[in-house]
Structures are given as structure tokens and as C-alpha cells.
Amino acid sequence: MNTFPLFHKLENQPILIIGGGEVAMRKADLLRRAGANLTIVAPSIDPEIKLLLNKDDSYNNLYPNSRHVFIEETYKPTHLQQQSFIFIIVATDNEALNKNIHADCKKQGLLVNVVDTPPLCDFIFPAIVDRNPITIGISSNGKAPVLARLLRAKIETIIPQQYGKLAKIAGDFRNEVKSKLPTINARRKFWEHAFNGKYSELIFAGNEANAEQQLKQDLEKFSKVYADNSIEQTQQQDGEVYIVGAGAGDPELLTFKALRLMQQADIVFYDALVSDEILDLCRRDSDKVYVGKKRCNHSVEQENINELLVKHAKIGQRVVRLKGGDPFIFGRGGEEAQELAKHGVSYQIVPGITSASAMASYTGIPLTHRDHARSVRFVTGCLKKGTPNEQFSSMLEPNETIVFYMGLHALERLTTGLIEAGKSKNTPIAIVSNASRSNQQVLTGTLADIVKKQAHAQLPSPALLVMGDVVNLHEDLKWFNINTPNSHTK
């Protein structure tokens, strides 16, 4: 460890920045957010810096006690003595001047950071993940700052903003917890329970009022059993079900919330359309149970899935119901939520990128376009109990895009029915197999010839049908997997 990480309280502390350009502005923005009082010295100070810092106070040259001070002068050693600065930032593009300022600071015993010059730095600015009051700093000791920023970006994706609220509310309860649970061990177990339990999930769900109430209830439970030396009795958590949309297959399309809940699940019930790559992102030691349903082949009936969700939540487990696409778009998530509500089981519903949206983006077939489609409809090719959707008369609007889910098996019936109902046989239509995945394939044609083309191409399920003039844009807008053999078939 070449440097030791410390977190410095900067509220109302004086800091000098020498330089008035873009780099100085970046440092000024960081430091003002931490509450520092800044003095900027430079022959010319960017107006954007003044505008930024003037947000903190009504700066006026007549009032030298203003929080931030601008001195538009060439640097002089006396500038270092104007206040008891806790450290100095040097952000000029004059290498010789930077070395002189560094030497002046050393003579006066001042800590100094010369931006992008590690040998002239007494301290280093880390890449920061800000979840106030949670702060994470990443440093490469000046060796690879770009890499540090990339690592910060990765951490940003896995730590939701709500962690700040989680910490703030917990901070407000610290004294009360300490008074009711006098030992460190009891307090540690209480906070582990809170941060892994219902309190934190209520925060993540945006329900702060109920989260505070839950924290109070948890504290009462812990305080009652503390005297009996049986803190472990409170470790059982109330079960909850997370109905999570896994998207169309590309793991990078998962939401942050979906990933967080997947990684804390005790048991995962997953569908046939959930890719192995996504399943691998679930908590490694969680139980994973396949309950997939394909046409005419249901490994577990929907009623039994509902019962499994209720059963495992009732015994205190965190249950993830992982579905391809979006739970509320032909995903039966509504039926499962109804069953959970009926039995008083807490649940959350996490949207996913439905396959139609992924298909549109990954094939270059926009669902709406001012010149081609004023509306879009998602239609199932198969109604309840396997009966085909034959409501063809409602699908004749010429400036509308229609996406058929679960329609590949009924392709001939759909195309024939649409033509018989009055749809032009020249209407463009496409079959998209495995949308957004590495083995995505696209077959384009018209209502008149798509069945014949599919008989030859044999694109496999899962597949969507998309009908409308927007299909004609595919050739111009396609970008994904265009150089992969068999990725596109015409």
C-alpha cells in the first residue's frame, strides 16, 4: 500500500486552487460539494467556474468574507499566506510554474497536489462513488487514473443510489439502537438483520416511511429478546418474492435492481427463456429450480408455480421468480402477483426489457417511425388454453406496427387470416429468432411469401413476428451480428 486512504472533513475549510481553466473547474466542483471554502487564483478565471461557485453564495468583490473568493492575478508566493489553507491544488498548464509553486508549498509546510503530476503530489484525488453518506474512493496511486475511473463506473452499476438513504436513516437510529442494545455483538446482529432484511428492501422500493417503521419494529424485537440472551431468535426474516424481468437474453440488458435482487435470492424459479448467462448472475449458492413452460410442454403448471412462490416465502426465504422479457407483458406476472397478494406475501415486481423492444433495437426495425408507423401493438399469437388468436379484423391499420408473441407455430394461420381479412399480401413481415442473443437470426418477407421462406430457413423458437412498413428499414439499420454466419437470413 503506497498511500493510506483517509476521508477528510472539508466543510468550511479553506482550500486554494491555482488555475482557472477546465481542470481547476473539475476540482472546484468536487471540493465545493464537500463544503469547502475555495480561493481561486489565476490571471483569467473561466466564467463557468464563477457561475458554478456563485451557486453557493452571492459572491461580491465588496465582501471578502464570502464563501468563495476569486483573485484574478498572476500567482505570487504571498497567495499561499492569505489564509491558513489546509492544502493547495495546482491546476495550471505551465510546467515550470507548477514546479515553483510546489517548491513554495514545501517551504511553508503546505500539502500540495499538482494535477496529473504524481511526483509533485502529497496526496491523490481518488475516483469517487458518492452515495452520501456512503463514499467509496478508488485510487491507482497516480499510475492509471483512467483505469480507476473505469473501476468506479463498474462499482456505480452495482450500488444503487438508495444505499445513501439506507445509511442516513440508520444513522438517525444509532443512538436509540445503542441504548436498547448495549453490547457490540447485539448491535452487529441487529444491523446485519436490518441491512439484509425488510428494512432495506422497503428503502430500495422507495417506501421510506414504512422502512423507518420496520426498523423500529425490528429494534423492539431485538430489545425484547436481548435480556434472554437469545438474539439469534430474531434472525428469521420475513420472506418476500421478487418477480424479476430478465429481459430478452443479453445479460447487459438487465436492470441494476434485477441484478441486486438476483444476487441475494435464497431460491430462484426460472423460465425456459432465461439464458444461462443471466442465470449465472444469480447468487451462486441459491437453489435454482426450472419451471419453464413451452407450447404444449409445461414442466410445472402455473397453479403449482404460484403455490411454490407462496410456500417458500412463508418459510422466510427470499424468492426470485425470474422471467424472460417483462413479467407483465405476456409473462403471467400479474397472475403470480394476485396469488401472492391473496396470501399476504410481500412482493416486488421488477420490469425487464420485453423481447419486442430488444428485437427492435437489435435488428434495426423501429417499432414506431414518423414516416411508417404511428402506433405499435403487442399481440399474442396464441390465446388462453392454446387457442389461436384470430382477431384479424382489428389488425388492418396500415400505419401500425404489430408484434406477435408466440406466433411462430401459427405463422401460416396468421398470414392467411390477415390476407383474408383484407391486409395487403405485400405487407412486410419479419421473423426474429433469439432476439439480442449471439445466435440472433432475422428472416424478412411479406405476408404472401414468409411461410415459404420460413419452411426453407427453419428459424427456431423463441421467435417474434413483426409486421408493418418498419420492417423495410431493417436492411439499412441492422448493426448487430451482421458479420456472424447465419445471423441474418433473407
Side-chain angles (χ1 to χ4, degrees):
M1 185 164 57
N2 299 93
T3 55
F4 189 81
L6 294 171
F7 291 91
H8 202 306
K9 290 184 178 180
L10 296 182
E11 189 169 2
N12 293 322
Q13 295 295 312
I15 294 171
L16 174 63
I17 298 178
I18 302 171
E22 181 182 348
V23 176
M25 182 171 175
R26 290 202 303 267
K27 300 303 182 186
D29 189 25
L30 279 174
L31 295 168
R32 63 170 279 274
R33 292 185 190 188
N37 297 340
L38 303 178
T39 297
I40 313 292
V41 172
S44 177
I45 299 174
D46 191 322
E48 291 294 323
I49 296 179
K50 294 182 180 180
L51 184 63
L52 174 72
L53 298 184
N54 284 343
K55 294 177 182 178
D56 298 332
D57 59 29
S58 298
Y59 171 78
N60 189 312
N61 285 318
L62 298 177
Y63 297 96
N65 292 324
S66 191
R67 177 177 167 189
H68 304 303
V69 178
F70 305 106
I71 303 175
E72 296 197 74
E73 299 175 0
T74 300
Y75 163 77
K76 299 188 292 287
T78 53
H79 286 137
L80 303 178
Q81 302 167 353
Q82 292 200 349
Q83 293 190 59
S84 298
F85 297 116
I86 60 173
F87 57 78
I88 314 298
I89 306 296
V90 183
T92 85
D93 56 5
N94 186 323
E95 186 176 340
L97 176 61
N98 291 345
K99 290 181 178 179
N100 289 337
I101 298 173
H102 176 266
D104 292 341
C105 290
K106 293 293 92 184
K107 289 177 184 176
Q108 298 189 34
L110 293 170
L111 294 173
V112 60
N113 175 288
V114 179
V115 178
D116 290 335
T117 312
L120 302 183
C121 292
D122 294 319
F123 59 92
I124 294 170
F125 279 89
I128 295 171
V129 178
D130 185 5
R131 298 291 184 268
N132 184 35
I134 302 295
T135 305
I136 301 170
I138 305 125
S139 172
S140 65
N141 288 315
K143 302 296 184 184
V146 173
L147 179 59
R149 289 197 294 271
L150 291 173
L151 289 173
R152 179 194 66 188
K154 289 182 179 294
I155 295 172
E156 289 271 12
T157 66
I158 60 175
I159 300 182
Q161 291 287 343
Q162 290 91 334
Y163 269 101
K165 294 179 181 178
L166 196 71
K168 286 177 182 176
I169 294 176
D172 293 339
F173 277 80
R174 282 195 68 187
N175 289 336
E176 187 174 352
V177 171
K178 192 171 183 178
S179 66
K180 292 187 176 182
L181 299 173
T183 69
I184 292 177
N185 186 52
R187 292 196 295 272
R188 177 182 59 81
K189 290 187 175 182
F190 167 75
W191 286 118
E192 286 176 352
H193 171 85
F195 292 141
N196 286 302
K198 192 65 176 287
Y199 159 66
S200 62
E201 286 309 317
L202 287 168
I203 291 290
F204 292 134
N207 197 338
E208 294 178 38
N210 284 351
E212 290 192 38
Q213 188 61 36
Q214 181 67 44
L215 201 58
K216 291 177 181 178
Q217 293 174 5
D218 289 346
L219 182 55
E220 287 302 315
K221 291 179 184 178
F222 268 74
S223 61
K224 286 179 182 178
V225 300
Y226 172 75
D228 300 327
N229 196 28
S230 55
I231 282 290
E232 288 75 10
Q233 295 177 12
T234 63
Q235 295 299 295
Q236 174 92 14
Q237 299 178 20
D238 295 331
E240 189 168 15
V241 175
Y242 314 126
I243 302 175
V244 175
D250 184 347
E252 292 187 352
L253 298 183
L254 280 171
T255 64
F256 295 159
K257 185 170 187 178
L259 184 60
R260 176 176 59 81
L261 295 177
M262 289 161 56
Q263 291 179 342
Q264 68 182 39
D266 298 309
I267 187 168
V268 179
F269 294 99
Y270 66 97
D271 278 348
L273 297 181
V274 175
S275 67
D276 291 339
E277 294 86 352
I278 288 176
L279 197 61
D280 286 343
L281 295 175
C282 294
R283 200 177 96 193
R284 290 192 180 278
D285 62 343
S286 62
D287 293 325
K288 299 171 182 69
V289 182
Y290 175 69
V291 291
K293 295 185 291 295
K294 298 182 179 179
R295 190 174 67 88
C296 302
N297 181 16
H298 293 191
S299 64
V300 181
E301 294 294 336
Q302 185 62 51
E303 292 77 9
N304 298 124
I305 294 174
N306 296 346
E307 292 173 3
L308 286 169
L309 299 181
V310 172
K311 172 186 172 182
H312 285 272
K314 288 288 189 181
I315 62 175
Q317 288 190 306
R318 291 168 294 187
V319 182
V320 162
R321 175 69 175 103
L322 196 56
K323 293 175 169 291
D326 182 277
F328 276 12
I329 300 180
F330 304 124
R332 299 192 181 181
E335 298 173 37
E336 293 168 352
Q338 283 180 302
E339 191 71 12
L340 296 170
K342 175 182 173 182
H343 288 86
V345 174
S346 297
Y347 62 90
Q348 296 183 43
I349 299 166
V350 182
I353 294 180
T354 187
S355 53
S357 293
M359 173 276 299
S361 297
Y362 279 66
T363 62
I365 301 177
L367 297 178
T368 62
H369 189 289
R370 288 193 299 174
D371 297 331
H372 301 280
R374 293 193 297 262
S375 61
V376 60
R377 262 205 292 172
F378 297 163
V379 177
T380 176
C382 185
L383 301 175
K384 198 170 184 180
K385 301 300 182 184
T387 57
N389 188 349
E390 296 185 345
Q391 299 170 348
F392 302 119
S393 61
S394 67
M395 306 178 195
L396 304 181
E397 168 60 46
N399 294 313
E400 182 173 63
T401 303
I402 296 182
V403 180
F404 294 92
Y405 286 68
M406 299 166 285
L408 186 59
H409 71 283
L411 179 63
E412 184 171 5
R413 180 70 194 105
L414 288 172
T415 55
T416 301
L418 285 163
I419 293 172
E420 290 176 349
K423 196 77 172 174
S424 169
K425 64 182 181 180
N426 295 320
T427 301
I429 187 170
I431 301 171
V432 181
S433 171
N434 290 298
S436 85
R437 303 188 187 196
S438 60
N439 58 343
Q440 172 181 291
Q441 296 183 68
V442 181
L443 178 67
T444 60
T446 65
L447 290 180
D449 64 16
I450 194 67
V451 172
K452 184 178 179 179
K453 286 188 173 184
Q454 169 61 3
H456 174 72
Q458 292 293 305
L459 267 62
S461 295
L464 292 172
L465 312 179
V466 54
M467 179 181 71
D469 287 346
V470 291
V471 172
N472 289 330
L473 298 174
H474 166 65
E475 282 301 313
D476 292 333
L477 303 183
K478 63 185 181 184
W479 61 273
F480 178 69
N481 268 7
I482 57 176
N483 295 319
T484 301
N486 300 320
S487 63
H488 291 272
T489 310
K490 296 174 67 175

